[in-house]
Amino acid sequence: MEKKELMYEGKAKKVFKTEDPEILIVSYKDDATAFNGLKKGSISGKGVINNRMSNMLMAKLEKDGIPTHLVEELNDRETAVKKVTIMPLEVIIRNISAGSFAKRYGVEEGIVFEEPTIEFSYKNDDLGDPLLNDYHAVALKLCTWEEIDIVKKYAFKVNDFLKKIWKECGVTLVDFKIEFGKLTDGTIVLADEISPDTCRLWDSETNEKLDKDRFRRDMGGVEEAYEEVMKRLSEKA
Ligand code: ADP
Ligand code: UDP
């Protein structure tokens, strides 16, 4: 599998075409951004960790019946994936209050919910990824009712599986963002990435933050946190 022309360069990854029109190569960078690109920096070694971690988790999810875009890991930073048309929705599941939820509703971080919540935001950098509900998504023709029902079902299943996997690693899955896309035949698959960039991961005993919040909040120990969660996952896998 060889990289052809660059199709897209995002904040954290580059996406290349290949000789196969159905397959793309994703290349993970160390670049980090937060607050809709306002804060910029770099987390040394992040691309390697996110590539490996996302692939390990997606392979597990695939085995558990959730279709994903994963084809094969090519090297440290690069993975072949099925090309999808991304649904322009960020799907966010929360098990514990944190981040923008805590801010928006004026509550502290760390409230454990009896049931997970789901929310969507419109993937649109110019608008700052505004929140929307399923009616809005259908009205804007971002997806159909059938599609959003599948997305919701998959998202909660992903949460159940990931919560379990992370618990075995001594890590609490607080919240995460996932993206879905459509293959040419319309099949909906989990795409993009699952990593400390896109999940909040807290040490189960100390609640220490082991994710991108260390970068967002200038807490230091960012690289170490990414390495720590990767190490724990590798030891359990
Ligand atoms: P952003 O666009 O937010 O800056 P990235 O730097 O992670 O994000 O860029 C990766 C881009 O590739 C994202 O826009 C993501 O939606 C898209 N993408 C992820 N997986 C696939 C896939 N399988 N097929 C097509 N596009 C994908
Ligand atoms: N998230 C993400 N990309 C985004 C927004 C959020 O990966 O563009 C993840 C974030 O890492 C967290 C979860 O989604 O795990 C919920 O984020 P939140 O809405 O609290 O927003 P934030 O605090 O990142 O502004």
Side-chain angles (χ1 to χ4, degrees):
M1 192 78 57
E2 249 183 66
K3 284 186 295 202
K4 300 276 183 199
E5 64 183 285
L6 178 68
M7 197 177 87
Y8 175 80
E9 175 155 11
K11 297 184 288 287
K13 302 190 284 297
K14 289 182 189 175
V15 184
F16 295 90
K17 291 188 174 173
T18 67
E19 61 272 20
D20 183 338
E22 306 284 339
I23 305 284
L24 299 174
I25 293 176
V26 176
S27 179
Y28 286 74
K29 308 190 284 184
D30 285 349
D31 298 355
T33 62
F35 314 118
N36 198 26
L38 240 63
K39 183 180 169 78
K40 287 193 179 71
S42 169
I43 302 173
S44 167
K46 169 171 88 82
V48 174
I49 288 175
N50 287 6
N51 182 42
R52 179 72 34 83
M53 185 182 291
S54 192
N55 293 342
M56 284 175 71
L57 294 173
M58 287 215 193
K60 284 175 184 288
L61 290 167
E62 186 91 50
K63 254 178 73 188
D64 273 317
I66 295 178
T68 76
H69 71 165
L70 178 64
V71 177
E72 67 169 326
E73 190 167 301
L74 300 173
N75 57 52
D76 264 10
R77 286 182 186 267
E78 295 176 339
T79 294
V81 299
K82 292 176 192 161
K83 179 180 181 170
V84 300
T85 306
I86 291 281
M87 297 168 71
L89 285 179
E90 299 199 332
V91 182
I92 294 169
I93 297 273
R94 301 178 192 270
N95 297 302
I96 298 179
S97 66
S100 69
F101 181 97
K103 199 167 169 211
R104 191 182 321 129
Y105 301 119
V107 297
E108 76 263 34
E109 292 204 313
I111 304 167
V112 180
F113 303 145
E114 274 177 32
E115 281 178 62
T117 68
I118 190 164
E119 71 203 45
F120 306 100
S121 44
Y122 180 20
K123 220 174 117 64
N124 184 318
D125 281 340
D126 294 338
L127 299 176
D129 297 342
L131 264 184
L132 43 63
N133 68 28
D134 38 7
Y135 288 86
H136 300 147
V138 173
L140 291 168
K141 296 200 166 28
L142 308 182
C143 57
T144 65
W145 280 111
E146 289 73 24
E147 287 164 356
I148 202 143
D149 284 345
I150 295 173
V151 161
K152 280 192 227 170
K153 195 184 74 191
Y154 283 162
F156 285 117
K157 261 182 123 179
V158 169
N159 184 46
D160 289 340
F161 288 127
L162 292 183
K163 250 183 11 192
K164 203 169 96 220
I165 295 166
W166 282 118
K167 193 172 179 199
E168 288 165 9
C169 302
V171 171
T172 304
L173 178 63
V174 173
D175 59 28
F176 60 92
K177 182 270 298 180
I178 45 180
E179 295 179 19
F180 292 89
K182 276 192 289 182
L183 301 176
T184 34
D185 69 0
T187 309
I188 292 177
V189 304
L190 179 62
D192 205 48
E193 69 176 280
I194 306 174
S195 72
D197 272 14
T198 62
C199 301
R200 283 196 170 91
L201 303 167
W202 292 357
D203 180 90
S204 302
E205 300 213 322
T206 64
N207 281 348
E208 187 191 358
K209 296 186 194 309
L210 299 171
D211 56 61
K212 195 171 155 187
D213 269 347
R214 301 197 76 87
F215 168 78
R216 292 191 189 99
R217 303 177 190 190
D218 295 318
M219 297 170 75
V222 188
E223 281 85 0
E224 291 78 2
Y226 278 66
E227 279 159 22
E228 176 63 24
V229 277
M230 186 65 230
K231 178 172 147 258
R232 292 197 202 176
L233 184 66
S234 307
E235 282 168 2
K236 289 287 164 193

